[in-house]
Amino acid sequence: MALAEDLGRAGDLTNQACVPEDARLSVAWTARRPGVLSGLSCARLALHALAPEARFDVLVPDGDPIAPGQVLARAEAPARAVLSAERTGLNLASRLSGIATLTRVYVDAVAGTRARITDTRKTTPGLRILEKYAVRCGGGVNHRFGLDDAILIKDNHVAACGGVRPALERARAAAGHLVKVELEVDSLAQLAEALPLAPDVIMLDNFSLADLREAVAMAAGRVTLEASGGVDLTTVRAIAETGVQVISVGALTHSAPSLDIGLDAV
């Protein structure tokens, strides 16, 4: 889809006008900024979609730290294929490496605590599977992939059901034995109501640090607690130190800057 978007109806006009049909090109993908690599396979797939016979050698695996000037991969292929696939491959690899890089910063920020950094569904439509893969490359873990792989009862569900208890009771009655049930609460009073009903996970939405600590004490290890809302690099360490097991961070996928990766003829 990405290649079709770029090539449009008539194909690469610059290639057709300037590049001999039989020309070949050797290129290297190179890091221009430090970070964590993810998604170089997108560049490989983009090139192979246009030139299945292309040689593509990955030199650095996904999840590895990279430094400016480091060569990440090399390829040799028909020049037209390389040039037409260039931007699609770079866009995806740069985007995913940016997510992996930001995720690693968050993971490092909570090192030594028991908290794990997880993503959310705040992803680019159509790219969720890739963006969540990039989170794993950065050392994070994935929340649910979509609406169909877990039950997550949020505040609007509670309102529609008439309260925490009826929402959880309905969820438990409907859930298969392998389906997890998570409940979002926005107060210690809701948490106290939810704990005897034994959801698998309770999401503490926009709790203060004091309330997070109180929630951990109230749960006493009986349920997994997830902190969400108000999480950034200035707050994540303090949130982790309250004792919650999971911290979900929408910024991993909705606010990560792309990592600068270049492609040059060699």
Side-chain angles (χ1 to χ4, degrees), residues 115-132:
R116 304 178 78 187
I117 299 295
T118 187
D119 52 28
T120 69
R121 285 169 47 244
K122 295 176 182 177
T123 53
T124 307
L127 294 182
R128 179 173 295 168
I129 192 169
L130 295 178
E131 292 179 347
K132 282 181 170 283

Side-chain angles (χ1 to χ4, degrees), residues 62-265:
D62 283 352
D64 271 18
I66 55 178
Q70 185 174 3
V71 176
L72 310 174
R74 297 183 186 275
E76 194 274 335
R80 287 188 177 186
V82 172
L83 297 170
S84 291
E86 174 180 356
R87 180 47 52 194
T88 292
L90 283 174
N91 282 350
L92 289 168
S94 296
R95 169 73 179 146
L96 300 188
S97 294
I99 291 171
T101 298
L102 182 59
T103 301
R104 184 67 55 83
V105 174
Y106 272 91
V107 169
D108 289 346
V110 302
T113 72
R114 67 172 179 170
R116 304 178 78 187
I117 299 295
T118 187
D119 52 28
T120 69
R121 285 169 47 244
K122 295 176 182 177
T123 53
T124 307
L127 294 182
R128 179 173 295 168
I129 192 169
L130 295 178
E131 292 179 347
K132 282 181 170 283
Y133 167 74
V135 167
R136 298 199 304 276
C137 289
V141 297
N142 294 145
H143 212 285
R144 59 179 181 162
F145 267 74
L147 298 173
D148 61 343
D149 59 354
I151 293 175
L152 174 46
I153 305 167
K154 297 178 73 69
D155 53 354
N156 288 334
H157 297 104
V158 171
C161 291
V164 167
R165 178 177 288 277
L168 274 173
E169 287 176 345
R170 286 172 176 266
R172 282 297 184 202
H177 69 290
L178 294 180
V179 176
K180 294 275 190 177
V181 176
E182 179 172 9
L183 171 73
E184 177 188 85
V185 300
D186 56 20
S187 68
L188 291 172
Q190 278 193 331
L191 174 64
E193 184 181 2
L195 283 171
L197 302 173
D200 299 296
V201 184
I202 295 179
M203 179 188 293
L204 309 171
D205 186 44
N206 284 296
F207 274 42
S208 67
L209 291 176
D211 283 352
L212 286 173
R213 286 189 286 269
E214 179 63 21
V216 170
M218 289 170 62
R222 289 176 290 166
V223 63
T224 297
L225 295 179
E226 173 187 338
S228 181
V231 182
D232 59 32
L233 287 171
T234 68
T235 61
V236 69
R237 179 74 192 189
I239 292 171
E241 289 175 343
T242 65
V244 295
Q245 295 99 319
V246 178
I247 303 175
S248 53
V249 186
L252 301 183
T253 51
H254 70 58
S255 295
S258 293
L259 192 69
D260 194 0
I261 297 173
L263 177 65
D264 298 294

